[in-house]
């Protein structure tokens, strides 16, 4: 559903731009260019409003604000990522990268997936598996088994409804590798992981997950979700009934939480953390930007290497 939604947004935006310029170009070049600029900058303006709201909320709660220069750079970077992700990858590249391991190439030995710690990639709200295309390419290049699913149903249903997609994906990978994988989840994806873990027994958790890394996940909800009136966004309201029922993750599954004080979606910052998790906080990355931050990638790669070493020594 997200794929088609963003395709409609992109096509409608280009059509509106074409119609506006066609009508006004002969009448007033200035008005034509002004309208074209507003259409083209719509995403940036929306992100800018979110940044201003984030800073206002942090100020009202007496929390530290990222420097204005830091927030400015994060806004510009998030704008670039938003155009790339929602203007191209999500609407048109959902299946551009297949899951790994990589296909056999002439002159190379096949990579046996048995005994390799795989990586399951879980996307967030209003996205699909295409946000992980870069991760999938890099993981496959290293011979690491990896999978990314598109969570459905996307809108109008609670977070719990997406658990089945994740469950099938994880179990398929474990059947392929024989060992529990590392789960990396962005934004709402982290809540889907927690809802999935809640349905598993202790023995199933030991079989299907070795560690969870969440990136900009609203573990305590987010202030911005108060403007939402449909599921699953309602579940992500700060202190929502669903979050209260979800409770804390089981202690037998290690969590690492990455969050940013410049996050324009999940704020205040403490809402992106868990009490028992390893906390990794940065100040200079916005919501989608954090997913592609080199520090997050290096951490996940190193963590996966440590988990693999533990499997090899067992």
């Amino acid at each position: 559903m997200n794929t088609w939604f963003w395709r409609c947004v992109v096509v409608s935006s280009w059509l509106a731009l074409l119609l506006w310029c066609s009508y006004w170009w002969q009448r007033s070049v200035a008005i034509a260019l002004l309208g074209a600029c507003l259409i083209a900058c719509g995403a940036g303006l929306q992100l800018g409003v979110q940044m201003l709201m984030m800073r206002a909320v942090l100020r009202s709660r007496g929390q530290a604000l990222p420097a204005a220069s830091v927030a400015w750079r994060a806004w510009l970077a998030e704008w670039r990522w938003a155009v790339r992700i929602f203007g191209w990858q999500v609407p048109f590249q959902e299946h551009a990268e297949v899951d790994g391991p990589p296909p056999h190439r002439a002159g190379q030995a096949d990579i046996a997936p048995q005994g390799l710690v795989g990586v399951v990639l879980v996307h967030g709200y209003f996205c699909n598996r295409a946000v992980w295309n870069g991760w999938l390419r890099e993981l496959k290049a290293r011979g690491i088994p990896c999978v990314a699913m598109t969570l459905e149903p996307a809108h109008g249903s609670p977070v719990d409804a997406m658990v089945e997609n994740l469950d099938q994906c994880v179990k398929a990978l474990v059947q392929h590798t024989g060992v529990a994988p590392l789960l990396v989840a962005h934004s709402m994806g982290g809540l889907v992981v927690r809802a999935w873990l809640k349905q598993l027994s202790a023995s199933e958790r030991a079989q299907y997950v070795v560690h969870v890394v969440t990136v900009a996940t609203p573990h305590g909800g987010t202030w911005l979700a108060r403007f939402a009136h449909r599921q699953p966004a309602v579940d992500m309201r700060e202190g929502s009934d669903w979050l209260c029922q979800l409770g804390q993750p089981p202690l037998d599954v290690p969590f690492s939480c990455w969050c940013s004080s410049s996050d324009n979606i999940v704020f205040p910052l403490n809402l992106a953390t868990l009490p028992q998790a390893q906390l990794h906080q940065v100040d200079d990355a916005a919501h989608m930007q954090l997913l592609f931050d080199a520090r997050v990638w290096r951490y996940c790669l190193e963590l996966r290497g440590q988990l693999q070493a533990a499997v090899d020594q067992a």
Side-chain angles (χ1 to χ4, degrees):
M1 181 180 292
N2 287 335
T3 303
W4 285 102
F5 173 84
W6 286 112
R7 284 181 183 177
C8 291
V9 169
V10 172
V11 172
S12 298
S13 297
W14 279 106
L15 182 60
L17 182 63
L18 178 63
L19 291 175
W20 178 271
C21 290
S22 297
Y23 179 82
W24 281 106
W25 194 259
Q26 298 299 327
R27 294 169 173 80
S28 172
V29 174
I31 294 178
L33 292 177
L34 178 60
C37 184
L38 289 174
I39 294 173
C41 296
L45 294 173
Q46 178 183 353
L47 294 171
V49 170
Q50 291 173 355
M51 282 289 188
L52 292 174
M53 294 172 69
M54 176 267 290
R55 294 179 68 83
V57 171
L58 295 185
R59 189 179 294 108
S60 68
R61 299 192 181 189
Q63 299 188 15
L65 293 173
S69 59
V70 172
W72 174 265
R73 289 192 295 270
W75 169 60
L76 292 177
E78 186 77 350
W79 189 354
R80 290 194 298 270
W81 279 112
V83 171
R84 174 176 172 178
I85 294 166
F86 300 110
W88 176 244
Q89 286 185 213
V90 170
F92 304 113
Q93 295 283 293
E94 182 180 5
H95 301 292
E97 289 291 335
V98 298
D99 297 331
H104 173 70
R105 296 178 182 177
Q108 293 183 344
D110 288 324
I111 298 176
Q114 279 293 313
L116 295 180
V117 176
V119 180
V120 178
L121 304 169
V122 192
H123 69 78
Y125 186 58
F126 255 115
C127 296
N128 60 25
R129 69 186 300 278
V131 301
W132 298 106
N133 284 350
W135 283 64
L136 289 169
R137 282 193 299 271
E138 293 294 332
L139 290 169
K140 288 187 292 183
R142 290 167 169 78
I144 299 174
C146 51
V147 293
M149 80 296 300
T150 292
L151 298 170
E152 295 287 356
H155 302 291
S157 299
V159 172
D160 291 323
M162 306 178 196
V163 167
E164 184 178 354
N165 287 151
L166 174 61
D167 185 70
Q168 294 174 352
C169 190
V170 172
K171 290 180 178 178
L173 182 62
V174 172
Q175 185 177 13
H176 198 56
T177 64
V179 295
L182 166 66
L183 273 65
V184 182
H186 178 247
S187 193
M188 181 197 70
L191 297 180
V192 178
V193 171
R194 287 177 56 190
W196 170 69
L197 289 173
K198 186 177 180 180
Q199 297 182 8
L200 302 180
S201 65
S203 60
E204 289 174 325
R205 291 194 295 269
Q207 181 181 2
Y208 294 126
V209 58
V210 66
H211 197 110
V212 178
V213 177
T214 64
V215 183
T217 289
H219 290 293
T222 175
W223 183 92
L224 202 60
R226 66 185 58 206
F227 300 109
H229 299 286
R230 294 191 64 195
Q231 302 285 8
V234 172
D235 289 341
M236 292 184 280
R237 288 179 178 176
E238 187 175 359
S240 71
D241 292 340
W242 181 82
L243 285 172
C244 293
Q245 295 170 7
L246 180 64
Q248 293 298 316
L251 295 176
D252 55 358
V253 178
F255 269 75
S256 299
C257 294
W258 280 82
C259 56
S260 173
S261 58
S262 292
D263 193 324
N264 55 299
I265 298 295
V266 181
F267 58 85
L269 180 71
N270 63 291
L271 297 179
T273 65
L274 288 170
Q276 74 277 21
Q278 300 177 30
L279 178 61
H280 302 270
Q281 178 183 336
V282 301
D283 298 319
D284 56 353
H287 189 68
M288 295 304 300
Q289 181 188 2
L290 188 60
L291 178 60
F292 305 100
D293 193 293
R295 293 165 292 188
V296 177
W297 164 253
R298 285 195 300 267
Y299 173 80
C300 292
L301 197 61
E302 292 171 2
L303 174 60
R304 188 265 166 195
Q306 296 168 7
L307 298 173
Q308 184 64 60
V311 170
D312 295 340
Q313 292 174 3

